[in-house]
Amino acid sequence: MSERNIIAIHDVGSRGLAMPVPAPAERVGAVQHDRLGRVLHDLRISVTDRCNFRCSYCMPKEVFDKNHRFLPQQQLLTFEEITRVARLFVELGVRKIRLTGGEPLLRRHIEDLVAQLAALRTPEGEGLDLTLTTNGSLLARKALALRQAGLRRVTVSLDAMDDAIFRRMNDVDFPVAAVLDGIEAAREAGLGPIKVNMVVKRGSNDHEILPMVRHFRERYSGAVVLRFIEYMDVGATNGWRMDEVLPSDEVRRRIDAEYPLVPLEAAQPGETAQRWAFADGRGEVGFISSVTQAFCGDCNRIRLSTEGQLFTCLFAERGHDLRSLLREAQPDGQRCSDGQLAAAIGRLWAGRSDRYSELRAQLASTAGRGTRRVEMSYIGG
Ligand code: SAM
Ligand code: SF4
Ligand code: SF4
């Protein structure tokens, strides 16, 4: 079956799998382990499925064109709904929240959501590690307001230093200088440490690896951490091919040849990036190698889609319809209480056994993993 024949999930109008409604008295513990013993820690919230870029590896122009139907406003979770869900997740052990999309800065008044999430407290009274991933196009305009609303740090995606290559990668002719201005504004606003993510696609931008390293080392020393992401087979539309993946080991060798690197310990369990420091002390780089070195073993992440579906894996074929539990009256005529929602989420995590990246090789050799795949722009990276 060709990749192009696979149906992207949000095109088929799926509401996701029904989540059973727990009895009002059902309670869940504060620490949630899934079936593989992984503890829930990290919630990624997609706030819009729209984007002003058309990166070929994520929202190829020929698929996400003027005929593509994005979600109508009333189907999106409201900020109040998102904050309610996030508060329950914090009760269940989540300590890190990342806002993403689509392009999260396109969601109107996003700083109001940031302010609501920044006010959440852990049972120990601490704030959350609250961050956001953006393509940087609107960051120069919004960095200060985001910081004032309580955002702690940002991750900016940037795939090349060369303007022509960057314009080709984003496929909407967006200039690299505007993203660099956004990074500068984020630093001035105190949104640090800033991470910059570069998706490496062999033959498209791999010769930009060293110019990127050079720029961020020289300009920011350790204040900006550059991370290289292996091009992933996420979604159904990007026409992914293994021969376009440049393995992280190869990226690291190329950098090491010019700027010697030494390995660093992971800062936290479940960290997606392998960290390496420049031997001369001028900062570090990270490698996110979901294709060549799966890191499912300690994956502590769950994703909430723009329209309120929960995905227990980036590569899941179906989401779980939390929005119905939030919005609709249940058979007893009542809406779900916070306790019931928390119990439903806790049950979902307890039943989780996803480890797609570890199984990728096997699945690839057994006629694929089905015909429906969720898009990255829909559930967020
Ligand atoms: N629009 C924002 C951005 O680009 O930062 C946030 C959403 S984007 C889906 C989140 C991250 O996923 C970005 O860093 C992007 O580069 C990455 N990404 C998207 N498609 C990918 C793919 N096929 N392989 C690897 N990373 C991908
Ligand atoms: Fe948009 Fe981000 Fe996807 Fe690029 S990676 S198309 S910026 S959502
Ligand atoms: Fe986590 Fe799924 Fe990625 Fe494995 S493939 S690391 S389980 S999101």
Side-chain angles (χ1 to χ4, degrees), residues 24-255:
E26 188 170 326
R27 290 283 170 268
V28 283
V31 178
Q32 299 295 309
H33 290 91
D34 72 6
R35 283 167 59 193
L36 302 177
R38 298 168 294 189
V39 175
L40 176 60
H41 181 270
D42 185 341
L43 171 64
R44 300 193 176 188
I45 302 172
S46 173
V47 294
T48 177
D49 59 336
R50 290 164 200 261
C51 188
N52 53 343
F53 284 12
R54 286 292 177 273
C55 308
S56 61
Y57 52 73
C58 178
M59 296 180 80
K61 221 175 198 169
E62 60 276 19
V63 178
F64 293 86
D65 59 9
K66 62 180 184 345
N67 298 319
H68 179 80
R69 279 175 296 119
F70 290 99
L71 293 167
Q73 184 71 24
Q74 69 275 15
Q75 289 198 21
L76 312 190
L77 291 192
T78 64
F79 289 171
E80 287 65 33
E81 287 171 327
I82 291 173
T83 306
R84 181 182 182 202
V85 172
R87 179 169 48 76
L88 298 174
F89 267 106
V90 173
E91 285 170 19
L92 293 169
V94 161
R95 295 294 176 266
K96 176 172 168 186
I97 294 184
R98 176 178 297 281
L99 298 178
T100 179
E103 174 45 44
L105 300 188
L106 287 181
R107 179 89 184 242
R108 256 182 291 156
H109 308 302
I110 183 74
E111 54 280 7
D112 295 348
L113 174 63
V114 168
Q116 290 179 35
L117 296 175
L120 295 176
R121 289 291 170 269
T122 68
E124 300 76 38
E126 288 174 10
L128 303 169
D129 179 5
L130 181 59
T131 180
L132 175 147
T133 303
T134 172
N135 63 24
S137 57
L138 300 170
L139 196 54
R141 239 182 285 165
K142 298 216 168 198
L144 192 58
L146 290 167
R147 179 72 189 119
Q148 286 168 346
L151 191 70
R152 294 200 175 175
R153 54 195 185 83
V154 282
T155 298
V156 182
S157 304
L158 179 63
D159 294 333
M161 288 305 298
D162 180 90
D163 195 52
I165 297 172
F166 183 62
R167 285 175 193 256
R168 209 159 47 236
M169 294 292 288
N170 63 55
D171 215 7
V172 292
D173 212 25
F174 196 86
V176 76
V179 177
L180 296 176
D181 286 349
I183 293 172
E184 192 65 30
R187 204 184 58 88
E188 280 167 15
L191 286 169
I194 298 171
K195 291 178 183 158
V196 172
N197 280 354
M198 172 179 181
V199 175
V200 182
K201 221 175 150 185
R202 194 199 287 273
S204 298
N205 66 339
D206 57 315
H207 43 294
E208 284 295 295
I209 294 167
L210 283 170
M212 289 279 287
V213 171
R214 225 167 275 139
H215 176 82
F216 288 103
R217 253 176 66 92
E218 274 156 32
R219 184 159 183 91
Y220 297 105
S221 220
V224 172
V225 176
L226 187 54
R227 304 183 325 159
F228 299 90
I229 307 183
E230 284 177 350
Y231 170 39
M232 289 188 287
D233 52 336
V234 69
T237 56
N238 63 12
W240 183 86
R241 296 199 331 247
M242 186 66 200
D243 60 7
E244 289 182 322
V245 177
L246 187 70
S248 290
D249 280 349
E250 171 64 22
V251 179
R252 186 170 47 75
R253 267 195 295 275
R254 290 192 196 179
I255 300 171

